Amino acid sequence: MEGWMHRYGRRRIGRSFFHRRYFVLESQNLAYYKRKPSENGRLQVPLKFLNIDGNCRVEDRGLETHHGHAVYVLSVYNKKERAHRITMAAPNIEEASKWKEVLEHVIEQVNTGSLRIGGQSDSQPKNICETERTASSSDHESQGTAQDDDDETDKKSGPRKGPFSPGHPDAALDWSISEENRKAELAHGARKHWRLVRCQNGLRFFEEIPDVLAVPNGVATVASQSRYKAMKAVGVVEASSSDIFELIMNMDETRYEWDASYHHGSLVQQIDGHRSIYHHRLELDWFPTFIWPRDLCYLRYWRRNEDGSYVILYRSVQHTNCPEQPGCVRAHMESGGYNISPLKPRPGSGEPRARVQHLVQIDLKGWGVGLLPFCHQHTVIQMLNSVAGLREWFSEGQVPPPMPRVVKMPTEVEPRKGRKRSVLKPSVSMDAISAAAERHLESLLDESDDDEDDSIPLPDDFPSIEKPKQNEFSEETSPEPLLPLDLSTVSGTLKKGHVETGRNCWSIPSGNLFRVRSKRFLVDRSKCPAGEPLMELLAVDWFKDTKRIDHVARRKGSVATVVGEKSLFTVAFNVQVPAGSTHYSMVFYFVAVKPVVKGSLLHRFVEGDDSYRNSRLKLIPSVPKGSWIVRQSVGSTPCILGKAVDCTYYSGPNYLEVDVDIGSSTVANGVLGLVFGVVTSLVVDMAFLVQGNSTEELPEHLIGAVRVSQLELSAAVALPPEDS
């Protein structure tokens, strides 16, 4: 693949640059040139090149603004060699996504070649040029695997999914799913129930049916504590999902043409490429003489899924630079956003179309809304009607303008006395912006040949990955008979509780709640309940420290050390969660209580190298209890951990530890921002397994599963010293 992209950064002398460069990906080499290599018939020397190997990773940095240009940034780097990095930016998200898919496919091909050492067979790669796949419902993201065919259902035409993905907020239960699969999904809490309340403007409006929890005394209680129910509108827009996404993300004058509830919007803070804080004033038409205007200060998080769908999520936050405005009532957006999924073109027409879902759960505050409940419903319907506005806007054949730089909100608030009614200032035309951008790019093209990656902000230092040592983990060397586990002497810092009613505890959910690849997956994409896991979850540790906690199993007195002294093998998953100046680690200890067949998929994972582990270790998450926005951000679709985040592997006597650094991914950090504040009300399930790519490796089996219920951050204990 090759094409023009952008390079940006800052030179050592302090001057910034924004250059247009020609990128070429050939074989396992990524390089960029000042001009097209074949131009003028002269041999061009690349300004920089990067060799793609199994340790490389593609990081999606999201949307950034440089020199007044909004660009989508990708960073390709080698996890073992920090300095080996190339950062590239595209003017639109579709181009950036194509490069990301191709680069990940090359990395997967390299990993597939190295897998043969472990006796693995080649897997069929996906179509890397297919950026918008067929979808009939909302889909989920997969950041990582070349075999991300892990859809939620067994439908052959189902979309492909991915990690840290949105949940499955279908408008109603899908009658095409078998009763057995439906019961499994309902038991797992993967679906939210919705009730159709009206059809208007070609849209369907749904109201949330709150979850009902069963308690030991037999009395049913409503799980939702919100005063107002969530509502959503579902419609079909005759446009590509990327064009719809670009239009929704724009906060300029074009929004007045399709969003009747929009009065004004400004940027408060850009957190990263996927998260921003905005101030948004609503334009309400319900008795404006008596009802004061409403405004919002919310966090906006977005993500593109590998199946071509998009997720945009909103949640109200407080910010020092966005205090309550005089003359406005500050509303509270509990959850909301858009889910844009590509659909099949209509028969006989190749025009793209997409299914758009817009959800709003808002508390408008103020006394008027409380006395007039119909006012609240009318306002929500007005906001949800933006889906109809999108449909009509695109039906006129219009194209979304380039994303301009958003005006930043002033830090000082005008005093109420003498305050005049705000008047919208005319914006600069898109033609002028485009012309200025072209002139600027032309002037920069020949400005300098020096492109330096050293100045680009880098993530935290990558820990050195130790060479895995050989473990005696096979049926020949397993002790016979195996000793029973003594739970009274081996325990972690987090207590074990009831799987249904526990709080601030862990438990073991049924393996049948997770669906894995069946024996016939490569033929008909079918899945089956996972069944009993291969290993048993013995204990869970919940630590905190001022720095990231690595290699917990090596510490004296750790669960892995104690169990290893009994000649039992442990696989420990250390999930590292950064939260400001505090770093949390939740460590799950899975112990082999029965012999593992030598040469099996699990055995090869333990004995394999890092490239093999990164390409096979899979996580299936789910949120049985949580708000819509949390289920959207986390979801229940499988992901390959080694491609979504940085994973470090430590091998020792009778244990293998996998350190999963959630902070290494911009997308994962965005999910944390939405989830961490409400973690005390969540119930999260996680299942770990090794992905099977060939018939001999199927069906898949879980390494283990865990449920964490309503976790308290204060329950985390300080990490004891290493010599203790």
Side-chain angles (χ1 to χ4, degrees):
M1 186 172 180
E2 59 183 66
W4 290 102
M5 298 281 281
H6 294 124
R7 288 273 301 111
Y8 69 91
R10 188 175 296 276
R11 300 186 183 90
R12 291 187 177 90
I13 61 175
R15 186 180 179 184
S16 61
F17 63 86
F18 185 83
H19 291 166
R20 193 170 179 235
R21 294 292 182 246
Y22 196 83
F23 282 77
V24 177
L25 176 62
E26 186 175 3
S27 184
Q28 292 181 220
N29 292 314
L30 175 65
Y32 62 85
Y33 303 80
K34 184 175 181 181
R35 294 180 177 86
K36 194 173 181 179
S38 59
E39 202 173 74
N40 300 328
R42 293 182 298 178
L43 180 64
Q44 298 286 335
V45 179
L47 299 176
K48 187 172 182 178
F49 70 92
L50 175 68
N51 180 259
I52 306 294
D53 60 21
N55 294 311
C56 287
R57 181 169 162 245
V58 185
E59 179 186 7
D60 178 9
R61 290 190 176 180
L63 182 64
E64 298 182 6
T65 303
H66 296 279
H67 288 257
H69 303 280
V71 290
Y72 296 89
V73 182
L74 298 177
S75 181
V76 189
Y77 63 90
N78 190 302
K79 292 186 288 185
K80 288 190 174 181
E81 297 292 337
R82 165 179 182 176
H84 295 178
R85 170 187 297 265
I86 288 182
T87 303
M88 54 202 298
N92 57 73
I93 193 170
E94 280 300 309
E95 189 172 350
S97 301
K98 290 179 181 179
W99 275 97
K100 183 174 183 290
E101 289 186 5
V102 173
L103 287 167
E104 288 183 341
H105 179 65
V106 172
I107 297 173
E108 178 64 26
Q109 284 184 324
V110 175
N111 285 330
T112 302
S114 65
L115 295 185
R116 294 175 183 171
I117 300 175
Q120 310 304 315
S121 60
D122 291 337
S123 57
Q124 298 179 352
K126 65 181 179 181
N127 183 0
I128 59 176
C129 297
E130 185 182 16
T131 58
E132 290 194 4
R133 298 176 174 86
T134 301
S136 58
S137 60
S138 63
D139 306 320
H140 316 299
E141 174 181 335
S142 180
Q143 291 209 7
T145 170
Q147 295 88 17
D148 29 25
D149 307 307
D150 293 308
D151 41 349
E152 286 282 287
T153 71
D154 293 332
K155 294 184 287 184
K156 298 180 183 179
S157 61
R160 295 176 181 173
K161 317 286 184 176
F164 301 108
S165 51
H168 206 303
D170 289 308
L173 290 178
D174 190 350
W175 55 266
S176 64
I177 303 178
S178 66
E179 187 66 23
E180 178 184 353
N181 294 344
R182 183 183 303 171
K183 289 180 179 179
E185 289 187 351
L186 291 177
H188 202 196
R191 288 178 177 267
K192 198 86 167 177
H193 300 289
W194 300 89
R195 178 175 63 90
L196 180 67
V197 293
R198 70 169 64 183
C199 293
Q200 177 181 318
N201 293 335
L203 307 178
R204 292 176 297 154
F205 292 86
F206 295 87
E207 185 180 70
E208 174 192 2
I209 300 176
D211 289 337
V212 177
L213 299 180
V215 293
N217 59 9
V219 180
T221 60
V222 178
S224 176
Q225 299 178 354
S226 174
R227 179 182 177 186
Y228 297 99
K229 297 179 181 179
M231 293 189 66
K232 71 174 180 179
V234 182
V236 176
V237 179
E238 301 289 338
S240 67
S241 55
S242 59
D243 285 347
I244 300 172
F245 167 78
E246 295 277 0
L247 186 61
I248 294 175
M249 293 286 284
N250 276 340
M251 298 285 283
D252 61 356
E253 68 274 5
T254 59
R255 199 173 188 96
Y256 297 112
E257 301 179 20
W258 61 271
D259 189 354
S261 64
Y262 178 77
H263 181 275
H264 178 69
S266 57
L267 176 67
V268 178
Q269 180 186 358
Q270 181 82 28
I271 301 175
D272 55 38
H274 289 270
R275 294 179 296 168
S276 302
I277 296 177
Y278 281 88
H279 174 256
H280 185 161
R281 180 172 171 179
L282 300 175
E283 183 72 31
L284 306 181
D285 59 1
W286 179 261
F287 288 109
T289 305
F290 303 99
I291 304 298
W292 278 32
R294 261 59 176 176
D295 69 344
L296 293 163
C297 179
Y298 59 81
L299 170 70
R300 185 183 74 180
Y301 166 78
W302 70 270
R303 180 180 64 246
R304 183 190 189 275
N305 304 335
E306 287 200 356
D307 56 10
S309 61
Y310 295 84
V311 174
I312 306 173
L313 301 178
Y314 305 125
R315 180 174 63 86
S316 282
V317 294
Q318 293 182 350
H319 198 281
T320 55
N321 292 339
C322 186
E324 295 187 7
Q325 305 294 300
C328 286
V329 175
R330 178 61 52 87
H332 180 76
M333 178 77 75
E334 298 183 16
S335 64
Y338 292 86
N339 194 307
I340 311 164
S341 306
L343 298 175
K344 287 182 179 179
R346 297 187 185 277
S349 172
E351 296 297 325
R353 63 193 188 115
R355 180 189 189 210
V356 180
Q357 300 183 73
H358 184 197
L359 182 139
V360 171
Q361 186 176 14
I362 187 173
D363 185 353
L364 292 173
K365 303 293 185 178
W367 63 270
V369 177
L371 295 177
L372 302 172
F374 184 73
C375 174
H376 179 273
Q377 186 181 32
H378 176 86
T379 302
V380 173
I381 294 295
Q382 180 185 350
M383 298 173 67
L384 294 178
N385 264 317
S386 63
V387 179
L390 288 169
R391 183 190 61 216
E392 297 303 316
W393 194 91
F394 280 104
S395 67
E396 298 177 357
Q398 302 190 66
V399 179
M403 190 172 295
R405 187 171 184 174
V406 181
V407 179
K408 196 163 186 178
M409 182 180 181
T411 55
E412 296 184 0
V413 181
E414 185 180 353
R416 184 170 181 176
K417 185 177 181 180
R419 181 174 178 265
K420 298 180 180 180
R421 184 177 181 87
S422 60
V423 180
L424 296 176
K425 299 180 180 180
S427 302
V428 182
S429 67
M430 292 299 102
D431 294 338
I433 293 177
S434 301
E438 290 298 328
R439 290 194 299 269
H440 185 62
L441 288 176
E442 290 296 329
S443 64
L444 287 175
L445 183 59
D446 295 320
E447 181 178 331
S448 173
D449 292 339
D450 300 328
D451 287 350
E452 302 174 7
D453 279 299
D454 301 351
S455 57
I456 298 176
L458 300 176
D460 296 336
D461 293 348
F462 298 109
S464 59
I465 302 179
E466 296 182 1
K467 178 73 176 178
K469 302 176 182 179
Q470 295 296 321
N471 290 295
E472 300 299 327
F473 187 50
S474 63
E475 58 182 350
E476 288 84 4
T477 58
S478 296
E480 296 289 350
L482 291 175
L483 298 175
L485 297 177
D486 187 357
L487 297 179
S488 63
T489 59
V490 182
S491 62
T493 58
L494 189 67
K495 67 179 181 179
K496 184 177 181 180
H498 192 274
V499 69
E500 295 294 340
T501 60
R503 182 179 180 85
N504 192 30
C505 64
W506 65 270
S507 56
I508 303 177
S510 171
N512 290 328
L513 297 179
F514 303 93
R515 300 186 62 78
V516 298
R517 295 180 173 185
S518 68
K519 188 68 176 178
R520 294 181 53 82
F521 178 82
L522 300 179
V523 178
D524 55 11
R525 303 295 188 197
S526 62
K527 293 189 177 181
C528 61
E532 290 299 318
L534 299 175
M535 307 181 76
E536 181 176 326
L537 179 60
L538 178 58
V540 176
D541 276 330
W542 181 221
F543 292 130
K544 65 179 178 180
D545 202 352
T546 56
K547 60 181 182 299
R548 193 179 63 193
I549 305 172
D550 298 327
H551 202 173
V552 176
R554 76 169 184 268
R555 296 174 178 268
K556 184 179 179 181
S558 68
V559 174
T561 302
V562 174
V563 173
E565 294 174 354
K566 299 183 178 182
S567 300
L568 297 178
F569 191 85
T570 303
V571 177
F573 293 96
N574 178 12
V575 182
Q576 301 165 329
V577 183
S581 59
T582 305
H583 291 256
Y584 295 91
S585 272
M586 180 160 285
V587 191
F588 309 107
Y589 301 94
F590 295 97
V591 178
V593 294
K594 56 184 178 180
V596 175
V597 179
K598 185 176 182 180
S600 65
L601 197 56
L602 178 58
H603 181 263
R604 280 179 285 176
F605 173 78
V606 173
E607 300 291 343
D609 57 15
D610 293 343
S611 297
Y612 175 72
R613 293 164 176 165
N614 284 332
S615 64
R616 292 298 189 98
L617 180 59
K618 183 189 293 185
L619 169 70
I620 305 178
S622 181
V623 183
K625 178 186 176 184
S627 65
W628 178 88
I629 192 171
V630 172
R631 297 191 189 198
Q632 281 281 308
S633 58
V634 177
S636 58
T637 40
C639 73
I640 298 297
L641 279 177
K643 295 188 177 182
V645 294
D646 287 347
C647 293
T648 310
Y649 304 90
Y650 300 98
S651 183
N654 285 325
Y655 73 81
L656 172 68
E657 179 177 332
V658 184
D659 287 0
V660 183
D661 184 10
I662 303 298
S664 63
S665 168
T666 306
V667 176
N669 271 325
V671 175
L672 283 178
L674 296 171
V675 172
F676 218 67
V678 293
V679 68
T680 56
S681 62
L682 299 181
V683 176
V684 180
D685 287 352
M686 289 176 282
F688 300 91
L689 67 155
V690 182
Q691 178 169 278
N693 292 336
S694 63
T695 305
E696 294 76 16
E697 298 171 346
L698 297 176
E700 294 176 332
H701 297 281
L702 300 182
I703 296 176
V706 61
R707 171 171 292 182
V708 180
S709 302
Q710 299 175 322
L711 186 66
E712 297 285 347
L713 298 181
S714 58
V717 301
L719 187 68
E722 292 193 39
D723 55 354
S724 63

